[in-house]
Amino acid sequence: MKERLNNLYCLEPALIERSSVGAGSDTYFVTCADGKYVVKFPALSEINHPGAEPELCEYLNCQGIPCCHFLRNNTGNFLSTDANGRLFHVQKFIEGRLYGLNEAPDWLLIQSAQTIRSPCVIIMGSITRLQRQTAIYISIRLYFLPNYSDG
């Protein structure tokens, strides 16, 4: 993986750790001299759309909705393949806290509900090529996972 990340993204990993937690993907945390990154190999299923998530995040960021920042590879694409042909993408790591099931404080539950409304409104009004169910699923992941990461 080190060589692939260096060739495709000009990253020089000093440390690669596999996450023990993940839903629908194999996830790795990569530490480089210039920062930390997350490398995800999404499971291929009807609910996962590996190409849609980076594009949606880029669109939402442009609309003023803060979310993940995905890196483009040396060919300008968000998606890459490993030596076995598995798709993966790389995003900047966001420091945060991950709350366990039913452990989030009340203020966070209220704020999360208010915060998630903005991307849903933008998605439903602007992105017609994604099915609504998939768009809602991705927008929920964008707000819960980056803000409360495994780190």
Side-chain angles (χ1 to χ4, degrees), residues 112-124:
S112 295
Q114 293 168 342
T115 303
I116 202 165
R117 181 183 180 277
S118 296
C120 288
V121 169
I122 289 173
I123 290 167
M124 294 308 161

Side-chain angles (χ1 to χ4, degrees), residues 80-92:
S80 298
T81 56
D82 69 2
N84 297 318
R86 289 192 318 158
L87 292 173
F88 72 93
H89 52 68
V90 180
Q91 64 190 69
K92 292 182 181 179

Side-chain angles (χ1 to χ4, degrees), residues 6-57:
N6 186 282
N7 291 341
L8 293 171
Y9 296 92
C10 296
L11 297 176
E12 296 184 22
L15 178 66
I16 298 176
E17 300 174 283
R18 184 171 185 180
S19 174
S20 60
V21 179
S25 66
D26 289 329
T27 303
Y28 296 85
F29 299 106
V30 177
T31 303
C32 300
D34 67 338
K36 292 181 180 180
Y37 302 90
V38 179
V39 177
K40 286 187 182 179
F41 291 84
L44 298 178
S45 70
E46 291 179 11
I47 191 107
N48 283 335
H49 298 274
E53 186 175 359
E55 291 179 13
L56 179 59
C57 286

Side-chain angles (χ1 to χ4, degrees), residues 99-112:
Y99 289 95
L101 184 63
N102 298 320
E103 293 179 359
D106 289 342
W107 67 264
L108 179 58
L109 296 175
I110 294 167
Q111 180 183 353
S112 295

